[in-house]
Amino acid sequence: MSESLMAPRRTGGRGSDIGRPRDPDMDQAILRATIALLSEVGYVRVTVAEVARRAGVSKPAIYRRWSQKSQLVVEAMVTQMLPGKDNDSGTAADDLVALTDHLIDVLTRTPLGRVLPGLVAEMAADPVLAASYRNLIIKPNLRHWRAAIARGIASGELSVDTDVDFVLNALVGPLYFSLLITGEPIAAGYARAGVNLVLAPYKTAPS
Amino acid sequence: MSESLMAPRRTGGRGSDIGRPRDPDMDQAILRATIALLSEVGYVRVTVAEVARRAGVSKPAIYRRWSQKSQLVVEAMVTQMLPGKDNDSGTAADDLVALTDHLIDVLTRTPLGRVLPGLVAEMAADPVLAASYRNLIIKPNLRHWRAAIARGIASGELSVDTDVDFVLNALVGPLYFSLLITGEPIAAGYARAGVNLVLAPYKTAPS
DNA sequence: CTGTTACGTCACTAACAATTACGTAATAGG
DNA sequence: CCTATTACGTAATTGTTAGTGACGTAACAG
């Protein structure tokens, strides 16, 4: 994977050592203004001019750092949103319930939920952006889910035949389907019920 | 639900009976041009001006029929894409496999797959459009899934406790998740494997 | 015929992303 | 200190596109 897929942010001119250095405070001000605006109006209605105004910064100053609005948004999300923690509660089932509940919370009660639809559209039109988002946000988060399932297999709680991808997708997919397509609210208790059903074929007999 | 949520298309002026009637051939030409353009360039890059050019029609003629580009696209998709047929193959499991395979085909090999990301963004910003798409496309299609599961319960193939929404979401959700978020290809044999696993908790003992 | 609407052409507004020119300020290295 | 180099703000500009509006002409209903 080429580095450009991971580093949408523009580097300094020819060499970043010579000339006047960029003001790091501006970076933070821009990213914070981006997140704030995102959570208020959603991706589509975020304009670079408004981000600049709120950050107390000029528009060219933003374009010096990020070549596109979409890449600014991705970096803002990466730096401002903490990945789910990898709680090890003792059983894979409980870990997955916790992860599912956390994801529901993120999708329904944080800016991400409002940002995602617009971002999905941009991703489809911009492979570089898509790679950034997937590598920096999606994959790191799914890693926790895989780890929980792996621990369950190792401890004997789950069968060694457990289809990790199936379990993961069956739990996560419906949440995105609901957010992006149907608009239906997530049923209360979805996490516990879903985990029980998805793991049912893989639960080993209690020893 | 108000009728306006179902009928994005503009009616004729005050009464549709007086004055020069709209040319029905133009309707078809516009819808066909929209679908063709959609499948070539995707939602974002569809411009009303280009649709008009291809349909051999003026831009105002389009806006006389649809108030927004997004509504034109929805109607184009509704009229040009056949809903999945409701095959009754004898078992709920086989029906669900067929429906799943069909949905995979639609999402990966028809214009819908290229259109959906842009449409998701529009839906998030436009409740009327969202209602149209859900009522005209999503819900009618999911009805076939529900029917198949209901038949399985009626025949005794599935437990009466079967969680219909869970089964449906666990099969459908991952497909959209893959298309819109991860970009990962659907595993070959997903339909059969997924149905087996999702139905496992509900399969009644063979009588 | 008359009223009403559709149609095309053309011009137009408004919004916004993205770029550029220019003058000024800040920094590193010599 | 001096020079090259880059950052910064202001401001103007380009280009694209959605969506409107005016006008003259064509087609339909009664």
Side-chain angles (χ1 to χ4, degrees):
Chain A
M1 185 165 305
S2 84
E3 202 214 350
S4 70
L5 291 182
M6 299 290 295
R9 179 189 281 245
R10 283 187 166 164
T11 58
R14 295 167 198 161
S16 45
D17 287 359
I18 49 182
R20 174 177 173 176
R22 289 193 190 137
D23 183 349
D25 292 344
M26 277 186 43
D27 292 50
Q28 286 310 307
I30 295 168
L31 291 173
R32 274 190 279 107
T34 302
I35 284 290
L37 191 54
L38 273 173
S39 55
E40 290 175 26
V41 301
Y43 182 91
V44 184
R45 282 188 264 269
V46 167
T47 70
V48 176
E50 176 64 13
V51 170
R53 198 190 62 77
R54 290 198 184 196
V57 149
S58 72
K59 212 163 45 140
I62 294 180
Y63 280 103
R64 254 173 235 122
R65 293 169 167 77
W66 298 275
S67 58
Q68 295 179 349
K69 162 186 161 180
S70 53
Q71 298 181 339
L72 164 63
V73 169
V74 167
E75 181 158 338
M77 290 171 56
V78 170
T79 58
Q80 308 295 317
M81 303 200 310
L82 304 177
K85 295 173 185 172
D86 193 0
N87 306 350
D88 184 348
S89 64
T91 71
D94 288 344
D95 289 352
L96 289 176
V97 170
L99 285 167
T100 303
D101 275 329
H102 181 250
L103 180 57
I104 292 173
D105 200 65
V106 167
L107 291 181
T108 59
R109 271 177 283 277
T110 73
L112 181 58
R114 270 168 298 221
V115 172
L116 206 52
L119 206 58
V120 162
E122 284 296 314
M123 287 169 65
D126 181 347
V128 174
L129 169 71
S132 296
Y133 183 72
R134 287 168 185 151
N135 288 326
L136 298 177
I137 299 192
I138 297 296
K139 286 183 185 172
N141 270 289
L142 288 184
R143 211 160 283 144
H144 298 128
W145 300 64
R146 293 182 187 282
I149 299 169
R151 282 196 302 270
I153 296 174
S155 74
E157 176 189 355
L158 300 177
S159 156
V160 293
D161 296 330
T162 303
D163 185 333
V164 178
D165 283 311
F166 171 78
V167 169
L168 189 153
N169 283 311
L171 287 174
V172 172
L175 301 182
Y176 284 91
F177 182 57
S178 167
L179 174 69
L180 298 174
I181 306 287
T182 68
E184 300 283 338
I186 314 276
Y190 169 84
R192 175 63 64 185
V195 167
N196 283 344
L197 287 167
V198 168
L199 293 186
Y202 299 121
K203 282 264 177 65
T204 56
S207 55
Chain B
M1 186 162 308
S2 83
E3 201 213 349
S4 71
L5 292 181
M6 298 291 296
R9 180 190 281 245
R10 283 186 166 164
T11 57
R14 298 167 196 161
S16 44
D17 288 359
I18 50 181
R20 174 175 174 177
R22 289 192 190 137
D23 183 349
D25 293 344
M26 276 185 44
D27 293 49
Q28 285 310 306
I30 294 168
L31 291 173
R32 274 191 278 107
T34 302
I35 284 290
L37 192 54
L38 272 173
S39 56
E40 290 174 26
V41 303
Y43 182 91
V44 184
R45 282 187 265 267
V46 168
T47 69
V48 177
E50 176 65 11
V51 170
R53 199 190 60 77
R54 290 198 186 196
V57 150
S58 71
K59 210 166 46 142
I62 294 180
Y63 280 103
R64 257 174 230 121
R65 292 169 168 78
W66 298 273
S67 59
Q68 294 181 352
K69 163 185 162 182
S70 53
Q71 299 181 339
L72 164 64
V73 170
V74 168
E75 179 157 340
M77 289 170 54
V78 170
T79 58
Q80 309 294 316
M81 303 200 310
L82 304 176
K85 296 172 186 174
D86 193 1
N87 305 350
D88 184 347
S89 64
T91 72
D94 286 345
D95 289 353
L96 290 176
V97 169
L99 285 168
T100 304
D101 274 330
H102 181 250
L103 179 56
I104 292 172
D105 200 63
V106 167
L107 292 181
T108 59
R109 272 178 284 277
T110 74
L112 180 60
R114 270 166 300 217
V115 172
L116 206 52
L119 207 58
V120 161
E122 284 296 315
M123 288 169 64
D126 181 346
V128 174
L129 169 71
S132 296
Y133 182 72
R134 287 168 185 152
N135 288 326
L136 298 176
I137 299 192
I138 297 294
K139 285 183 186 173
N141 270 289
L142 289 184
R143 212 160 282 145
H144 298 128
W145 300 65
R146 293 182 187 282
I149 299 169
R151 283 196 302 270
I153 296 175
S155 74
E157 177 188 352
L158 300 178
S159 156
V160 293
D161 296 331
T162 304
D163 185 335
V164 179
D165 282 313
F166 171 77
V167 168
L168 190 153
N169 283 311
L171 286 174
V172 172
L175 301 181
Y176 284 91
F177 182 57
S178 166
L179 174 69
L180 298 174
I181 307 286
T182 69
E184 301 282 338
I186 313 275
Y190 168 84
R192 176 63 64 186
V195 168
N196 284 342
L197 288 167
V198 168
L199 293 186
Y202 299 119
K203 282 264 178 67
T204 56
S207 54

